[in-house]
């Protein structure tokens, strides 16, 4: 068969990462590009979110006669699996707790940029699974299952093996939102305090 490619745009990832990248870039420029700790913190945050955006803005699944592969974004992250190593492929629907990004599941790994739909690859020589997010899980699963040589495998409607625990994605998001509130106020406070006032508040010598 000819090589098939299926690409899903990371709507959820872009909606979060793009504004954060632009925000910290703007704060970095506003700081005056000075050689100060604040500037280095802001440039680190801006670059971090930019790299994450380049990784998670899309996910592409590639299928040919011999392998199934995927790559995230510009291709910094990706893997290839041989058809002969696969036991089955089925469409699945993750719970909201599964989240997006690259994360460990109780029985394998998840790679996802948006939404809850995915395919699940099961292997002949190991019990762990790989879940890859896609907006066309039924079609992709049918193609892969045909290459494996078996009949279609029924999908699942919920995450059967997911443990009810706090998703690190939401914890990180909460910390980032808190940072967005604290950092601008911190920068404004540093700018508004003059050097004489700072000395009068921080140095015991100013009282004599």
């Amino acid at each position: 068969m000819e090589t098939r490619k299926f690409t899903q745009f990371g709507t959820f990832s872009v909606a979060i990462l793009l504004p954060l990248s632009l925000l910290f870039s703007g704060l970095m420029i506003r700081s005056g590009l000075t050689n100060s700790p604040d500037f280095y913190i802001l440039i680190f945050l801006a670059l971090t979110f930019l790299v994450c955006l380049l990784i998670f803005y899309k996910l592409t699944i590639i299928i040919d006669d011999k392998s199934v592969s995927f790559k995230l974004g510009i291709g910094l992250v990706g893997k290839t699996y041989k058809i002969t190593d696969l036991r089955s492929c089925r469409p699945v629907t993750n719970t909201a707790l599964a989240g997006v990004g690259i994360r460990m599941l109780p029985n394998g790994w998840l790679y996802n940029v948006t939404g809850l739909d995915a395919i699940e690859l099961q292997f002949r020589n190991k019990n762990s699974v790989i879940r890859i997010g896609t907006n066309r899980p039924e079609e992709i699963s049918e193609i892969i299952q045909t290459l494996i040589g078996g009949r279609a495998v029924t999908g699942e409607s919920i995450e059967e093996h997911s443990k009810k625990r706090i998703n690190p994605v939401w914890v990180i998001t909460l910390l980032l939102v808190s940072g967005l509130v604290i950092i601008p106020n911190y920068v404004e406070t540093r700018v508004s305090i003059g050097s004489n006032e700072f000395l009068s508040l921080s140095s015991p010598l100013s009282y004599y």
Side-chain angles (χ1 to χ4, degrees), residues 174-185:
L174 179 61
L175 293 175
L176 291 175
V177 172
S178 301
L180 295 180
V181 175
I182 295 173
I183 291 177
N185 292 333

Side-chain angles (χ1 to χ4, degrees), residues 12 47 65 115 168 174 206 208:
F12 179 80
L47 289 175
D65 290 330
L174 179 61
S206 62
Y208 296 95

Side-chain angles (χ1 to χ4, degrees), residues 133-204:
T134 177
N135 56 344
R136 300 165 70 178
E138 291 83 7
E139 180 180 356
I140 295 174
S141 295
E142 184 176 353
I143 294 172
I144 296 174
Q145 195 63 29
T146 300
L147 291 172
I148 294 173
R151 60 186 178 85
V153 179
T154 304
E156 63 177 1
S157 59
I158 60 172
E159 175 79 55
E160 294 177 345
H161 302 286
S162 177
K163 296 179 180 179
K164 300 300 182 180
R165 58 185 179 184
I166 297 176
N167 186 353
V169 172
W170 299 115
V171 176
I172 294 173
T173 302
L174 179 61
L175 293 175
L176 291 175
V177 172
S178 301
L180 295 180
V181 175
I182 295 173
I183 291 177
N185 292 333
Y186 174 72
V187 173
E188 291 293 338
T189 303
R190 288 288 303 272
V191 171
S192 62
I193 297 179
S195 59
N196 291 334
E197 294 176 281
F198 179 77
L199 288 173
S200 66
L201 292 173
S202 60
S203 176

Side-chain angles (χ1 to χ4, degrees), residues 97-106 108-111 165 167-169:
L97 290 177
V100 299
I102 303 172
R103 60 157 298 183
M104 182 180 291
L105 300 174
W109 286 87
L110 168 72
Y111 301 86
R165 58 185 179 184
N167 186 353
V169 172

Side-chain angles (χ1 to χ4, degrees), residues 28-208:
M28 178 185 67
I29 295 174
R30 186 179 177 184
S31 68
L33 306 180
T34 58
N35 189 20
S36 65
D38 292 338
F39 171 74
Y40 290 112
I41 292 174
L42 292 173
I43 194 173
F44 171 77
L45 291 172
L47 289 175
T48 297
F49 287 117
L50 177 60
V51 171
C52 290
L53 181 61
L54 292 176
I55 293 175
F56 293 107
Y57 82 93
K58 70 175 182 178
L59 190 155
T60 301
I61 298 175
I62 305 169
I63 307 171
D64 59 32
D65 290 330
K66 297 182 179 180
S67 65
V68 176
S69 62
F70 74 90
K71 61 180 181 178
L72 291 168
I74 60 176
L76 295 177
V77 177
K79 291 191 175 183
T80 299
Y81 308 98
K82 294 181 180 179
I83 294 294
T84 54
D85 293 336
L86 299 178
R87 178 164 56 88
S88 68
C89 177
R90 63 175 179 172
V92 294
T93 302
N94 299 303
T95 64
L97 290 177
V100 299
I102 303 172
R103 60 157 298 183
M104 182 180 291
L105 300 174
N107 62 333
W109 286 87
L110 168 72
Y111 301 86
N112 189 26
V113 294
T114 191
L116 302 178
D117 294 330
I119 60 170
E120 180 179 275
L121 301 178
Q122 298 181 352
F123 300 88
R124 298 180 186 275
N125 56 355
K126 58 183 178 180
N127 294 324
S128 61
V129 302
I130 296 294
R131 289 196 170 190
I132 308 170
T134 177
N135 56 344
R136 300 165 70 178
E138 291 83 7
E139 180 180 356
I140 295 174
S141 295
E142 184 176 353
I143 294 172
I144 296 174
Q145 195 63 29
T146 300
L147 291 172
I148 294 173
R151 60 186 178 85
V153 179
T154 304
E156 63 177 1
S157 59
I158 60 172
E159 175 79 55
E160 294 177 345
H161 302 286
S162 177
K163 296 179 180 179
K164 300 300 182 180
R165 58 185 179 184
I166 297 176
N167 186 353
V169 172
W170 299 115
V171 176
I172 294 173
T173 302
L174 179 61
L175 293 175
L176 291 175
V177 172
S178 301
L180 295 180
V181 175
I182 295 173
I183 291 177
N185 292 333
Y186 174 72
V187 173
E188 291 293 338
T189 303
R190 288 288 303 272
V191 171
S192 62
I193 297 179
S195 59
N196 291 334
E197 294 176 281
F198 179 77
L199 288 173
S200 66
L201 292 173
S202 60
S203 176
L205 296 178
S206 62
Y207 292 99
Y208 296 95

